[in-house]
């Protein structure tokens, strides 16, 4: 023993002292209690974990830590206690004191700034503050990577979902902590970033990734932090691991995780700290005694037991019994002891431990740190989208208009002014902060107004006007919300982890829909959604046009949010991780040569491309029914220009875009890419060339994507994922308020019967119908189209009237006033070339009912049904077995469903102004997705 441990103080030869140095423990209370004193004096406890339940203020913390160190010193401890805290910033802080301790953004908030220098400065400032009150070990940084970013509890405690970016920020934080004199502890090894909360027999979250998968993502920041050489300790998680090579119920109890993976694979030589062994699943399976022995055998150097004194004593007993039974060797004990003592030598001494600088230092550095705090928060605020330019509100919302703030029910942060205020107002004012917070932790939820009350007050102050503020709950949109929304001109909805609190997701979408409807009636209903925790709540929800992220809801974050909303600074934050990286990649994507479409050269290639798309698309329409001829109108009213990306050696087409211009309306009618050439910017190159050609047209009034004639695509194809529409969002189009269109069909006309009572209703309304099959008497038809639709629809009707296989049904009032019109045709019509929905395999006869136009009147619904009814009768008379209703507005779907029609395919039509889209030429794309088509309605 003397040879093995000759460099150690002789005191350590007593294994009771050595065991005490392998334990880190906490307790309940803001004062030293007999149990914690007993552990330090009689069981030689060497490390203390302080949490929000112990700490009231900077002054109290400094006094408490000094008392703990004094007890240890008097008890004969050769080295000071390790004093550890969680001070991650954002919503995870153990110590709060608005007079001396500054609030800084969460890890993800810091990552959103894009500045590793700021990460270093904030970490150093945080460490300097907690060091001033006697803390010498900070449990941070969080090294986890959110490989499943949208559904993980860690959320903004991590820097994001990109392993390399996480490494850069975490190493900067480690350097900041170390340069302020603290020891560091990375967490939570091997990763809490992609936990599966299902399928565990012990109600423990599990890791299901293989070691190879972990090595490529989750382990990267851990490996890089270890390699950087300044990480003193590693916190080992308590999750399970179940994969082909490992079946572990608790990572911190497994030598495969600690000794093999952490030490042998990653080369870590510092202190390994176990997860708290007071977890119920561990107690039930192994018991505390057995669990403590397993933790040491796994390779942990410090065993964490958070609060229960009886369990802490049981663990000490278990370790002693493990040594007596020969399970734990003395060599193993002294290996851990050396690591712990080495760590203490790095971060503390008796001189430092017994004389913390306390308030004298904190008062000096506080002004500088406050400025750093504001800078960090201001740089972290991220405007993900602001499509309607609602920000700043000072330029959009008049003082006399009302602003509504809707906030969710959330728990107050344990170390925050909100919690302190709640405790002070509760009965029993002599109780400590922890005693109130901890004992009511599960039952106490402040109202949204409570946690966000200061946010509301700040908004009212800065606008010097009225603010309406209420909360929302899982009960959804209530009458009080509807009344307030009707009153307000602008609405701010706050969400906090809406992906996990699904009521917030549903409520926000409901309000979004309501605001959209109210805007449609001419009311001003500006909507801003603010995610105050996870930025992924609505990151991909493009229907929310203005989306802001703050990454935590501390008072400081909310103050910066208010200033950002009212234009006191321009937010420069960005979505961290892969979403930011994708934007950077977009700027350097490949440029493809785009050439004019030449029929003689490219017709065969375009037909082959359409066949390829028909084979790879669901549904196969419109590709299966479309040929190269479908895009060429040969109509003098249109200016046509089509473009291709092609392989000049093989004449194979990689992509195609069709553009049209008619009477001030610029149109992209189709844009699609070979499936094998997606995600390499073919679509973006075609789009840029099309926009350049269209924006050069003289007299352009509006620009649209897609059109009714040719009607290959009446709008953006609606898919469940929304990916096609997102593509257009990403290149800059405003698709926020589309008009839904559909193609509908009666598949079996032979068994179809007219809706009961429809004929009688038409007769009572004195509505009659006639059929025009030539340009004779066409003036009233074309005049009605021109008055209620766009120039391309006028040309569609003109073309139909010149086709012997087409006709136009008119609905008329008693005095021959035209109430509405619709085109009737069959597959023999030339329109079948341009309207793929008229396609049918084999010899099946299909009748078409195309583009019904009915001005808005009290009888509009009845007129629409009457026109379509006459169209179906005409189709049946021509022996059609199937009837197609094309270009049907969304609000009329139910009318025609009642007549026996079923929706075949839906589209979203969108229109933009030339001013809006003039900037599209310089925008980049995130992804080139499947066929991307929009049809935009005529205003």
């Amino acid at each position: 023993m003397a040879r093995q441990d000759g460099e150690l103080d002789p005191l350590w030869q007593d294994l009771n002292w050595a065991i005490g140095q392998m334990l880190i423990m906490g307790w309940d209370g803001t004062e030293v209690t007999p149990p914690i004193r007993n552990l330090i004096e009689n069981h030689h406890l060497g490390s203390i974990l302080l949490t929000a339940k112990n700490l009231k203020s900077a002054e109290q913390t400094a006094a408490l830590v000094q008392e703990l160190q004094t007890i240890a010193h008097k008890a004969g401890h050769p080295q000071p206690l390790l004093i550890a805290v969680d001070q991650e910033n954002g919503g995870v802080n153990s110590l709060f004191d608005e007079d001396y301790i500054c609030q800084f953004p969460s890890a993800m908030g810091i990552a959103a700034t894009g500045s590793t220098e700021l990460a270093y400065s904030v970490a150093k400032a945080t460490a300097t503050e907690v060091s001033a009150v006697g803390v010498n070990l900070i449990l941070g940084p969080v090294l986890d990577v959110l490989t499943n970013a949208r559904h993980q509890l860690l959320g903004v405690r991590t820097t994001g979902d990109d392993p390399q970016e996480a490494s850069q920020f975490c190493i900067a934080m480690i350097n900041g902590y170390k340069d302020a004199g603290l020891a560091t502890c990375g967490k939570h090894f091997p990763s809490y970033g992609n936990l599966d909360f299902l399928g565990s027999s012990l109600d423990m979250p599990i890791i299901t990734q293989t070691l190879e998968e972990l090595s490529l993502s989750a382990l990267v920041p851990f490996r890089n932090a270890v390699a950087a050489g300044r990480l003193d300790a590693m916190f080992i998680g308590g999750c399970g691991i179940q994969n082909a090579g490992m079946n572990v119920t608790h990572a911190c109890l497994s030598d495969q995780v600690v000794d093999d993976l952490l030490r042998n694979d990653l080369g870590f030589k510092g202190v390994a700290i176990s997860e708290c062994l007071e977890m119920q699943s561990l107690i039930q399976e192994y018991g505390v005694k057995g669990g403590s022995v397993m933790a040491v055998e796994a390779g942990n150097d410090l065993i964490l037991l958070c609060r229960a004194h009886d369990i802490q004593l049981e663990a000490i007993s278990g370790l002693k019994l493990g040594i007596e039974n020969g399970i734990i060797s003395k060599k193993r004990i002294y290996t851990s002891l050396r690591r712990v003592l080495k760590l203490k030598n790095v971060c503390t001494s008796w001189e430092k431990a017994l004389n913390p600088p306390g308030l004298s230092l904190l008062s000096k550095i506080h002004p500088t740190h406050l400025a750093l705090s504001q800078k960090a928060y201001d740089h972290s605020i991220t405007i993900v989208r602001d499509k309607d330019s609602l920000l700043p509100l000072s330029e959009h919302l008049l003082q006399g208009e009302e602003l509504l703030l809707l906030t969710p029910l959330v728990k107050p942060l344990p170390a925050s002014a909100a919690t302190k205020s709640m405790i002070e107002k509760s009965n029993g004012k002599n109780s400590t902060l922890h005693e109130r917070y901890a004992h009511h932790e599960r039952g106490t939820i402040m109202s949204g107004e409570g946690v966000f009350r200061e946010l509301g007050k700040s908004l009212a102050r800065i606008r010097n006007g009225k603010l309406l503020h209420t909360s929302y709950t899982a009960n959804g949109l209530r009458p009080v919300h509807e009344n307030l929304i009707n009153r307000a001109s602008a609405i701010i909805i706050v969400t906090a982890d809406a992906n996990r609190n699904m009521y917030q997701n549903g409520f926000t979408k409901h309000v979004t829909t309501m605001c959209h409807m109210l805007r449609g009636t001419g009311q001003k209903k500006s909507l801003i959604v603010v995610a105050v925790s996870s930025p992924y709540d609505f990151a991909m929800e493009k229907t929310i046009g203005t989306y802001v992220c703050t990454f935590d809801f501390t008072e400081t974050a909310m103050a910066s949010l208010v200033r950002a909303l009212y234009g006191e600074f321009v937010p420069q934050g960005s979505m961290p991780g892969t979403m930011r990286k994708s934007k950077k990649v977009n700027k350097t994507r490949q440029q493809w040569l785009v050439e004019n479409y030449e029929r003689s050269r490219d017709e065969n290639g375009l037909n082959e491309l359409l066949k390829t798309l028909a084979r790879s698309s669901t549904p196969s329409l419109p590709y299966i029914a479309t040929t190269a001829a479908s895009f060429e109108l040969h109509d003098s009213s249109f200016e046509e220009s089509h473009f291709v990306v092609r392989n000049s050696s093989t004449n194979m087409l990689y992509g195609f875009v069709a553009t049209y211009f008619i009477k001030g309306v610029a149109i992209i009618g189709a844009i699609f890419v070979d499936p094998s050439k997606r995600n390499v910017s073919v679509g973006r190159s075609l789009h840029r060339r099309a926009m350049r050609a269209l924006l050069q047209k003289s007299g352009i009034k509006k620009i649209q994507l897609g059109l009714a004639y040719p009607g290959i695509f009446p709008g953006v194809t609606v898919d469940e994922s929304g990916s096609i529409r997102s593509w257009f969002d990403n290149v800059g189009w405003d698709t926020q308020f589309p008009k839904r269109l559909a193609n509908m069909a009666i598949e079996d006309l032979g068994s179809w019967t007219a809706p009961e009572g429809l004929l009688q209703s038409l007769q009572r309304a004195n509505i009659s119908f006639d059929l025009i099959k030539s340009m004779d008497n066409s003036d009233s038809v074309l005049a009605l189209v021109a008055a209620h639709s766009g120039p391309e629809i006028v040309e569609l009707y003109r073309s139909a009237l010149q086709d012997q296989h087409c006709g136009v049904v008119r609905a008329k009032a008693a005095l021959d006033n035209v109430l509405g019109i619709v085109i009737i045709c069959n597959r023999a019509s030339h329109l079948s070339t341009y309207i793929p929905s008229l396609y049918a395999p084999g010899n099946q006869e299909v009748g078409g009912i195309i583009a019904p136009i009915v001005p808005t009147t009290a009888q509009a619904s009845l007129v629409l049904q009457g026109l379509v009814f006459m169209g179906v009768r005409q189709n049946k008379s021509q022996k059609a077995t199937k009837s197609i209703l094309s270009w049907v507005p969304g609000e009329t779907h139910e009318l025609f469903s009642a007549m026996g029609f079923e929706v075949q395919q839906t589209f979203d039509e969108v229109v933009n102004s030339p001013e809006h889209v003039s900037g599209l030429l310089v925008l980049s794309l995130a992804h080139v997705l499947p066929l991307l088509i929009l049809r935009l309605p005529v205003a």
Side-chain angles (χ1 to χ4, degrees), residues 41 86 155 163 228 247 287 298 315 374 378 404 435 460 564 594 683 696 730 784:
E41 292 179 337
D86 277 307
N247 187 10
Q374 180 170 312
D378 288 356
L404 171 61
E435 288 166 343
V594 180
Q696 291 174 353
N730 290 334
L784 186 67

Side-chain angles (χ1 to χ4, degrees), residues 773-792:
K773 293 186 64 70
S774 69
M775 290 299 291
D776 296 339
N777 301 317
S778 64
D779 291 346
S780 63
V781 170
L782 297 179
L784 186 67
V785 178
H788 298 283
S789 193
E792 78 275 21

Side-chain angles (χ1 to χ4, degrees), residues 370-602:
L370 275 178
L372 177 63
S373 170
Q374 180 170 312
K375 176 182 177 182
Y377 271 108
D378 288 356
H379 281 66
S380 71
I381 302 296
T382 299
I383 299 177
V384 180
R385 290 182 300 277
D386 186 22
K387 290 183 179 179
D388 295 327
S389 301
L390 301 183
L391 301 176
L393 279 172
S394 54
E395 298 178 4
H396 178 79
L397 188 65
L398 300 177
Q399 186 173 352
E401 295 176 320
E402 291 186 306
L403 173 64
L404 171 61
L405 176 64
L406 296 169
T407 55
L409 297 180
V410 296
K411 284 185 178 180
L413 302 174
S416 68
T419 297
K420 190 170 290 188
S421 174
M422 179 185 73
I423 303 306
E424 289 172 354
K425 291 179 180 179
S426 66
N427 54 15
K429 292 189 177 180
N430 293 328
S431 301
T432 66
L433 177 65
H434 166 64
E435 288 166 343
R436 287 291 170 196
Y437 182 79
H439 297 149
H440 297 82
E441 189 172 13
R442 296 183 179 178
T444 300
I445 296 184
M446 294 182 67
S447 67
E449 294 97 330
V451 171
F452 297 107
R453 183 175 293 116
E454 187 55 38
L455 171 62
K457 291 179 180 178
S458 297
L459 284 168
R461 282 194 298 267
I462 199 167
R463 72 182 303 252
N464 194 25
K466 191 167 185 179
L467 177 85
L468 309 171
H469 181 195
T470 190
S471 62
Y472 63 93
T473 70
N475 292 326
L477 195 69
R478 312 300 296 169
V480 63
H481 301 125
E482 295 180 357
N483 291 337
L484 291 173
I485 291 169
N486 279 316
R487 283 178 55 183
S489 297
I491 300 98
I492 298 173
I493 302 180
V494 172
T495 66
D497 295 307
N499 282 319
R500 289 192 288 113
N501 301 298
M502 292 305 296
Y503 81 90
Q504 297 180 23
N505 188 293
F507 181 87
T508 302
K509 289 182 177 179
H510 197 159
V511 174
T512 301
T513 301
M514 183 176 175
C515 289
H516 181 157
M517 295 174 62
L518 292 173
R519 278 193 294 267
T521 66
Q523 298 184 52
K524 181 178 179 180
K525 297 295 169 189
S526 304
L527 178 64
I528 299 168
V529 175
V530 180
V532 297
S533 188
S534 169
Y536 301 105
D537 286 359
F538 297 99
M540 305 304 293
E541 186 63 52
K542 300 300 169 56
T543 58
I544 293 173
T546 301
Y547 183 53
V548 182
C549 299
T550 68
F551 305 96
D552 69 61
F553 54 88
T554 58
E555 291 88 348
T556 318
M558 296 299 93
S560 283
L561 169 66
V562 171
R563 295 171 53 248
L565 292 176
Y566 272 85
E568 291 193 4
F569 67 92
V570 178
Q572 299 296 321
S574 59
M575 288 288 287
T578 55
M579 293 187 72
R580 175 162 55 210
K581 181 176 286 187
S582 67
K583 291 186 177 181
K584 294 179 180 178
V585 170
N586 289 338
K587 296 178 182 178
T588 58
R589 282 187 178 275
Q590 181 176 350
Q591 300 284 337
W592 292 83
L593 290 175
V594 180
E595 304 177 54
N596 290 323
Y597 173 80
E598 295 180 9
R599 185 186 310 116
S600 59
R601 182 193 66 194
D602 298 324

Side-chain angles (χ1 to χ4, degrees), residues 131-453:
S131 176
V133 297
V135 171
N136 47 44
L137 171 62
I138 190 164
L139 299 182
V142 172
L143 295 169
D144 304 88
V145 177
L146 286 183
T147 49
N148 185 359
R150 289 159 181 78
H151 302 288
Q152 292 302 306
L153 292 174
L154 282 179
V156 295
R157 294 174 63 191
T158 76
T159 56
D161 62 351
D162 180 69
Q164 295 301 335
E165 183 174 286
S167 299
Q168 295 167 6
F169 278 96
C170 290
I171 289 173
M173 294 175 193
I174 291 171
N175 289 333
Y177 296 147
K178 291 291 290 182
D179 289 352
L182 288 192
T184 57
C185 176
K187 57 186 182 185
H188 309 80
F189 189 81
S191 177
Y192 280 0
N194 189 19
L195 295 177
D196 187 343
F197 290 85
L198 301 175
S200 171
S201 61
L202 296 173
D203 295 324
M204 283 294 295
I206 60 174
I207 297 171
T208 57
Q209 293 171 297
T210 65
L211 287 178
E212 290 77 13
E213 290 170 332
L214 288 171
S215 295
L216 292 173
S217 58
L219 292 178
V220 171
F222 291 94
R223 181 175 286 110
N224 289 338
V226 170
R230 302 194 78 184
L231 192 64
D232 300 296
M234 190 75 80
F235 187 90
I236 315 299
C239 59
I241 304 175
Q242 294 181 10
N243 56 46
M246 195 178 293
N247 187 10
V248 172
T249 55
H250 300 280
C252 61
L253 303 186
S254 170
D255 59 353
Q256 287 181 280
V257 175
V258 185
D259 275 345
D260 293 347
L261 186 56
L262 177 61
R263 298 204 186 278
N264 297 335
D265 187 3
L266 270 63
F268 182 66
K269 300 185 184 303
V271 172
I273 305 175
S274 80
E275 175 65 275
C276 180
L277 299 191
E278 295 181 24
M279 61 183 104
Q280 193 61 33
S281 58
L282 185 149
I283 291 174
Q284 291 297 322
E285 187 169 4
Y286 302 114
V288 174
K289 286 184 178 180
S292 300
V293 172
M294 292 177 67
V296 172
E297 279 296 281
N300 291 285
D301 305 300
L302 281 175
I303 312 304
L304 174 60
L305 296 122
C306 296
R307 65 183 67 173
H309 188 55
D310 56 339
I311 292 178
Q312 292 167 343
L313 294 177
E314 188 178 347
I316 294 171
S317 175
L319 292 178
K320 291 178 180 179
L321 191 59
I323 295 171
E324 290 177 13
N325 288 345
I327 300 174
I328 302 174
S329 67
K330 291 182 179 180
K331 179 180 179 181
R332 175 70 193 83
I333 295 292
Y334 287 111
T335 296
S336 286
L337 177 62
R338 285 192 181 88
R339 291 177 182 146
V340 173
L341 295 180
K342 181 181 179 181
L343 174 56
K344 289 188 174 185
N345 286 333
V346 167
C347 66
T348 190
S349 66
W350 280 122
E351 174 63 28
K352 183 177 179 181
L354 295 173
N355 301 283
L359 300 188
S360 61
L361 174 61
L362 290 174
S363 60
K364 291 178 182 178
I365 62 178
H366 194 59
T368 303
H369 286 190
L370 275 178
L372 177 63
S373 170
Q374 180 170 312
K375 176 182 177 182
Y377 271 108
D378 288 356
H379 281 66
S380 71
I381 302 296
T382 299
I383 299 177
V384 180
R385 290 182 300 277
D386 186 22
K387 290 183 179 179
D388 295 327
S389 301
L390 301 183
L391 301 176
L393 279 172
S394 54
E395 298 178 4
H396 178 79
L397 188 65
L398 300 177
Q399 186 173 352
E401 295 176 320
E402 291 186 306
L403 173 64
L404 171 61
L405 176 64
L406 296 169
T407 55
L409 297 180
V410 296
K411 284 185 178 180
L413 302 174
S416 68
T419 297
K420 190 170 290 188
S421 174
M422 179 185 73
I423 303 306
E424 289 172 354
K425 291 179 180 179
S426 66
N427 54 15
K429 292 189 177 180
N430 293 328
S431 301
T432 66
L433 177 65
H434 166 64
E435 288 166 343
R436 287 291 170 196
Y437 182 79
H439 297 149
H440 297 82
E441 189 172 13
R442 296 183 179 178
T444 300
I445 296 184
M446 294 182 67
S447 67
E449 294 97 330
V451 171
F452 297 107
R453 183 175 293 116

